[in-house]
Amino acid sequence: IYIITINFYKIKMNLFKLSRIISLVSFFCIIISFYLLIFEKKSATVDELVLVVLVSIVYLMPILIFNYVCFREITFWIKKTRDE
């Protein structure tokens, strides 16, 4: 049973790392989207701003779904637990 516990802990840590990577990529995409809209585009319309906000929500959906399925938490950033 000790080996099963160790394997489960390794799987949980890999899921934790994957969650962090997905979060970082999502946040990076959102930051780049707003940067391009605000600083690189000469004149942004309200329609473009709404589109960027909607796309940002779409960027965040995979991390929320992944964290809920794997950790039973609806959050963007999973805290590292020290229970093992």
Side-chain angles (χ1 to χ4, degrees), residues 61-72:
M61 292 306 292
I63 189 62
L64 290 175
I65 293 168
F66 180 81
N67 285 342
Y68 182 74
V69 168
C70 294
F71 301 102
R72 297 290 184 235

Side-chain angles (χ1 to χ4, degrees), residues 25-61:
V25 169
S26 298
F27 294 147
F28 181 73
C29 289
I30 291 169
I31 290 169
I32 292 296
S33 297
F34 278 102
Y35 172 79
L36 291 174
L37 180 69
I38 294 170
F39 296 113
E40 295 296 321
K41 190 153 173 62
K42 298 299 180 200
S43 61
T45 64
V46 174
D47 292 340
E48 291 169 337
L49 180 63
V50 169
L51 179 65
V52 169
V53 169
L54 291 175
V55 168
S56 298
I57 293 170
V58 171
Y59 286 150
L60 294 175
M61 292 306 292

